Every structure is written in structure tokens, then in C-alpha cells.
Amino acid sequence: MLSLGGPFVKLSALLGALSVLPSLSNAFSNPVIWEDLADLDIRRVGSTYYYSSSTMHYSPGAPILRSYDLFNWEYIGHSVPTLDFGNAYSLVGGQAYVQGIWASFFGYHSSKNTWFWGGCIDFSKTYIYSASSVTGPWSRLTTINKCYYDSGLLVDDDGTMYVSYIYNNAVWVAQLSSDAKSEVKSQQVYSPPSNIGYLEGSRFYKRNGTYYILLTHPANEEWVIKSSSPFGSYSIKALVQNVAPPVSGAGYPHQGGLVDTPNGQWYYMAFIDAYPGGRIPVLAPVTWGSDGFPAVT
């Protein structure tokens, strides 16, 4: 169990605290968790928050954390029960150090009452796992013979599942079949200009009818592209650039995700590179401008 600033609070107390969460925006301490939990995907279902992370070659993979207030977290399971992606992951005839679980998608499909996790392994195939309960058991649903590198999942209002990903230095969006076992179509939706450069670490959202994809320029910036359609066209704006980290000597916050509270507040969770702790998560409030883009406040 992970806790910051005191023991883990009982569920009933935490649910009550959600009603005053905006007033706590300046009360929590960063980093939120002193753990190596990189490439995060953060989600809310009801009044509960969930956090998924990269784990490289460690098995089981893709840990899941749970929180009722965004500040106190506990481990509850893994989306990938075992890294059975080939002999090298068992140290048979080779090794797979620093390979395996990189930035991946994680999300909940409410009409199917199903959780999904998907990740590209070895720049080759995308493995998708599912579970009816976030705590498991998780099992492999399908393998798609293309790489959804640094992918993000969006479940649209009508239940259609889209995956944002990076390919050939551009941002792509794929539509999955209704059972999430295959791809219906995919297309390039954005190519970053030279003054922005390479972008990765995609996360896909929809707010008030507008589609948003978060993208990181490693390892110091986060950008947002937005559109009225999942397939574009998209416009872009910076979310954070060279923001001073809360840990002395650490890197800049980047490669994060957005999450809202039940009463409409928004937060940006990112990570900072902090030796020897690893890539540790930090949190900041978000507001939305008249131009429809989010801003870290």
C-alpha cells in the first residue's frame, strides 16, 4: 500500500473528501508517489481512480494502482499476468532486458463492463488483454499484427473504441472492432512540424464533443492536439514546456495523462526522471481555456 502524508484513509472518508477536492489542489505534496511508475495512463470510473504503468521486462507486467482521492494509492493487480512473449522473456536462448511493457493503453468500457489493456511488444505486435474486474483475472483477448506504439485508448460515447498511436514519426488513430479483437481502419491524423519535433506517448480523450490526444516531446514537453472528429483534422498547443520539477536535480514533467473528478475538476498527472528513484509521478491542476485547450495551473 502506498500512502503520502499519513495512513491510507478509509473509503467512506475518502468519498466524502471528493466533494472538497478542488480546495485540496494546493494541499498535496509532489511527487505523489515515490515509485518508478513511468508511462502512466490514469482513469476514473465513478469515484475511483486507476493508474497503469510500464514495467519493461518485469513479470507480471503493467501494474494497476487504485486511489479514491488522487493522492493516496495502493497496488491492486497487474494487467499482464505473465510476459509470455517469447523465450527471451524466460531467459531461454537470450534475454529481453528493458523490452516488454512500454507505454500502453488502459481503460474501461462501461457498456461492456470490461477493462482493456493493450501494448506493442518488441515493435512488432500489439497484445490486448481484458478483464471484467479491474483486479482480475486478466487474460489475453487477442493479438493484432501491427505495432500500436505508445498508444492511448478512447471509448467514445457510442461505445466505439479508438486507439491513438505513433508510427513513422506521426500520430495515427485506429478504430477497433466492437469486440476489440481486430482493427476496422486506421489513418494518420497529425504530423508534427519541425519546430515541435518528434512526439510520442499518446493519450486519447473526449470532452464536450471534442477529441484530444496528449503527446510528449521527450523529455521536457507535453503537447495537446484537438479535433471535432477522432480522425482529424487536429490543431495543436503546448500544455507544459520545461516546467521546473518538484525534486531537485530531476527532469521536467512530461508524458502524462488527464483525469477529471466527479465534480468537474481536472488534473494532469505526469512523471519526472529522478535518479535513483526512477520516473516518478507528479500532479497539477488543469483549467480549460476559451480556445478549448487545457492549461496547467
Side-chain angles (χ1 to χ4, degrees):
M1 180 179 297
L2 294 171
S3 180
L4 186 67
F8 197 75
V9 187
K10 291 183 178 180
L11 172 59
S12 58
L14 287 168
L15 293 177
L18 285 170
S19 63
V20 295
L21 188 54
S23 67
L24 299 177
S25 61
N26 295 317
F28 61 88
S29 298
N30 272 316
V32 176
I33 314 169
W34 284 93
E35 291 280 344
D36 185 10
L37 293 164
D39 306 331
L40 62 100
D41 201 349
I42 186 168
R43 301 286 176 173
R44 177 179 64 85
V45 177
S47 297
T48 307
Y49 305 92
Y50 300 94
Y51 184 121
S52 179
S53 173
S54 295
T55 41
M56 309 304 178
H57 53 276
Y58 291 100
S59 184
I64 306 168
L65 289 78
R66 178 174 58 198
S67 174
Y68 302 104
D69 62 1
L70 285 174
F71 316 134
N72 299 278
W73 294 86
E74 60 178 343
Y75 286 97
I76 60 171
H78 293 80
S79 296
V80 181
T82 183
L83 271 63
D84 54 352
F85 306 130
N87 289 338
Y89 287 90
S90 299
L91 295 177
V92 176
Q95 52 83 16
Y97 290 119
V98 199
Q99 299 178 44
I101 307 299
W102 290 12
S104 47
F105 69 71
F106 174 75
Y108 179 67
H109 197 302
S110 59
S111 64
K112 297 179 181 295
N113 190 32
T114 301
W115 288 87
F116 293 95
W117 179 96
C120 172
I121 305 299
D122 299 333
F123 301 99
S124 175
K125 300 177 181 180
T126 298
Y127 295 82
I128 298 179
Y129 292 73
S130 65
S132 58
S133 170
V134 70
T135 57
W138 286 78
S139 60
R140 187 179 299 176
L141 177 68
T142 192
T143 302
I144 295 177
N145 289 319
K146 68 186 299 184
C147 177
Y148 293 153
Y149 178 76
D150 273 17
S151 54
L153 175 68
L154 170 70
V155 179
D156 210 341
D157 301 333
D158 63 359
T160 303
M161 289 178 281
Y162 298 100
V163 175
S164 60
Y165 63 100
I166 308 303
Y167 174 70
N168 198 25
N169 296 326
V171 185
W172 288 65
V173 168
Q175 179 183 337
L176 299 182
S177 59
S178 60
D179 60 7
K181 292 183 177 181
S182 61
E183 179 184 282
V184 175
K185 67 173 183 175
S186 64
Q187 71 180 56
Q188 180 178 315
V189 300
Y190 187 80
S191 180
S194 59
N195 65 308
I196 293 176
Y198 176 71
L199 299 173
E200 62 179 19
S202 73
R203 293 288 174 252
F204 209 173
Y205 306 97
K206 187 179 184 181
R207 175 183 179 269
N208 294 343
T210 300
Y211 297 86
Y212 296 87
I213 302 177
L214 263 67
L215 301 156
T216 192
H217 176 71
N220 63 321
E221 298 176 348
E222 189 88 52
W223 293 80
V224 183
I225 59 174
K226 74 178 181 75
S227 173
S228 60
S229 163
F231 291 103
S233 61
Y234 282 87
S235 57
I236 192 167
K237 187 175 182 178
L239 180 66
V240 294
Q241 294 177 290
N242 302 323
V243 172
V247 176
S248 177
Y252 299 110
H254 67 288
Q255 195 158 344
L258 295 173
V259 67
D260 66 337
T261 69
N263 57 2
Q265 301 299 307
W266 284 82
Y267 286 84
Y268 170 62
M269 182 86 85
F271 71 77
I272 57 175
D273 299 278
Y275 179 84
R279 293 177 287 177
I280 55 181
V282 292
L283 186 68
V286 165
T287 57
W288 293 85
S290 59
D291 60 359
F293 280 97
V296 170
T297 54

